[in-house]
């Protein structure tokens, strides 16, 4: 079983709804949720086989100003010390 890749992204607050709608329109691409509502920080779990497509999509979102920054990080759900 593959483990999802993990990303965090800061979004332009006024465009969060649009980002979520577009991301969810692609079946089996990613699962997203808000980590910090005040800073519009999202965490996104991406299927490994879709990494290139996802990163291309995120870079396009950056170009048009919806995504302020994003980065791939170790999957925090694999850390036994992480509090959920």
């Amino acid at each position: 079983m593959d483990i999802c890749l993990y990303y965090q992204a800061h979004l332009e607050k006024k465009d969060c709804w649009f980002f979520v709608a577009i991301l969810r329109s692609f079946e089996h691409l990613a699962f997203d949720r808000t980590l910090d509502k005040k800073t519009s920080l999202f965490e996104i779990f991406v299927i490994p086989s879709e990494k290139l497509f996802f990163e291309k999509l995120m870079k396009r979102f950056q170009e048009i100003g919806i995504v302020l920054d994003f980065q791939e990080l170790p999957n925090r759900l694999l850390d036994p010390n992480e509090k959920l």
Side-chain angles (χ1 to χ4, degrees), residues 11 14 24 28 33 37-38 51 57 64-65 73 80:
L11 307 178
K14 66 179 178 57
R24 291 182 185 181
H28 311 296
R33 64 183 178 185
K37 186 177 177 182
K38 290 181 182 180
K51 178 179 180 161
L57 180 64
I64 60 177
L73 298 168

Side-chain angles (χ1 to χ4, degrees), residues 7-11 19 23 44 53-63 67 69-71:
Y7 291 82
Q8 287 186 359
H10 284 97
L11 307 178
F19 171 82
L23 195 61
I44 307 153
F53 178 77
F54 172 77
E55 288 184 353
K56 185 177 178 181
L57 180 64
M58 293 297 282
K59 287 176 184 174
R60 181 64 183 132
F61 278 136
Q62 275 187 309
E63 290 170 4
V67 171
D69 63 68
F70 77 100
Q71 60 180 332

Side-chain angles (χ1 to χ4, degrees), residues 13-28:
K13 190 169 191 145
K14 66 179 178 57
D15 295 320
C16 288
W17 67 271
F18 181 75
F19 171 82
V20 169
I22 296 298
L23 195 61
R24 291 182 185 181
S25 73
F26 295 99
E27 287 191 37
H28 311 296

Side-chain angles (χ1 to χ4, degrees), residues 6 8 33-35 43 45 75-84:
Y6 180 79
Q8 287 186 359
R33 64 183 178 185
T34 307
L35 262 182
E43 65 180 354
F45 298 88
N75 190 328
R76 71 181 188 86
L77 299 181
L78 297 177
D79 183 353
N81 299 315
E82 180 68 33
K83 295 178 185 172
L84 301 176

